């Protein structure tokens, strides 16, 4: 937290301090709304950086804002289409939301970029196990096991 605040104090016009604040708020303090504010500021300062959109998506997902989270993960991929990490993030979100055909397609797109990235083989395998059949597009009920990155 101290490092993030210092980075913001030293260079408030750069997105990196706000990205760090967002990570702290989401992963350490568990304050998703504060993380969203930090990631939004990072996106305003660095609109072409995919990390802001990806971080915002995770903060939104933490509050159950699934449509917004999915939109921001798609934005992350659009900003960096050659990123295996962005493909991993989007394929897991699509899988979690039970968009099986899209999740498989995204995992396969990612594997075309990074053929040896095992983080993409797991969501692809899950879509095969699920039969690739779409459902309601809603996340599973609480307590239902799911994969993650």
């Amino acid at each position: 937290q101290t490092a993030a605040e210092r980075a913001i104090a030293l260079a408030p016009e750069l997105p990196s301090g706000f990205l760090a604040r967002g990570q702290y708020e989401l992963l350490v303090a568990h304050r998703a709304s504060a993380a969203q504010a930090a990631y939004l500021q990072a996106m305003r300062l660095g609109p072409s950086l995919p990390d802001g959109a990806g971080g915002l998506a995770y903060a939104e997902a933490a509050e159950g804002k699934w449509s917004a989270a999915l939109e921001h993960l798609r934005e992350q991929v659009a900003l960096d289409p050659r990123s295996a990490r962005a493909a991993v993030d989007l394929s897991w979100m699509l899988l979690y939301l039970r968009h099986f055909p899209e999740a498989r397609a995204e995992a396969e797109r990612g594997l075309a970029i990074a053929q040896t990235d095992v983080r993409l083989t797991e969501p692809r395998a899950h879509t095969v196990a699920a039969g690739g059949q779409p459902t309601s597009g809603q996340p599973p009920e609480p307590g239902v096991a799911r994969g993650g990155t």
Side-chain angles (χ1 to χ4, degrees), residues 87-88 91 102-112 120-125 127:
V88 168
S91 62
E102 287 180 85
R104 183 174 185 171
E106 184 59 27
E108 289 177 353
R109 187 192 70 78
L111 283 166
L120 289 158
T121 59
E122 190 177 0
R124 184 178 66 174
T127 65

Side-chain angles (χ1 to χ4, degrees), residues 10 22 34 36 40-42 47 72 74 87 89 95 101 107 118 128 130 133 142:
L10 291 172
Q36 288 175 54
L40 284 168
Q41 182 62 20
H72 284 112
R74 289 185 196 281
D89 292 348
L95 182 64
V118 296
V128 172
Q133 300 300 316

Side-chain angles (χ1 to χ4, degrees), residues 42-142:
M43 290 174 69
R44 280 190 283 277
L45 296 171
S48 63
L49 296 175
D51 292 343
L56 179 58
Y58 277 101
E60 291 165 335
E63 290 191 331
K65 298 175 182 175
W66 303 110
S67 295
L70 183 57
E71 178 183 327
H72 284 112
L73 286 176
R74 289 185 196 281
E75 183 179 351
Q76 179 186 27
V77 168
L79 289 168
D80 192 0
R82 305 248 344 125
S83 168
R85 178 182 166 205
V88 168
D89 292 348
L90 180 55
S91 62
W92 274 114
M93 180 63 73
L94 289 164
L95 182 64
Y96 185 69
L97 295 175
R98 301 178 183 190
H99 295 254
F100 299 126
E102 287 180 85
R104 183 174 185 171
E106 184 59 27
E108 289 177 353
R109 187 192 70 78
L111 283 166
I113 296 164
Q115 294 139 2
T116 60
D117 195 328
V118 296
R119 297 174 302 166
L120 289 158
T121 59
E122 190 177 0
R124 184 178 66 174
H126 280 282
T127 65
V128 172
Q133 300 300 316
T135 61
S136 67
Q138 296 298 315
E141 295 298 317

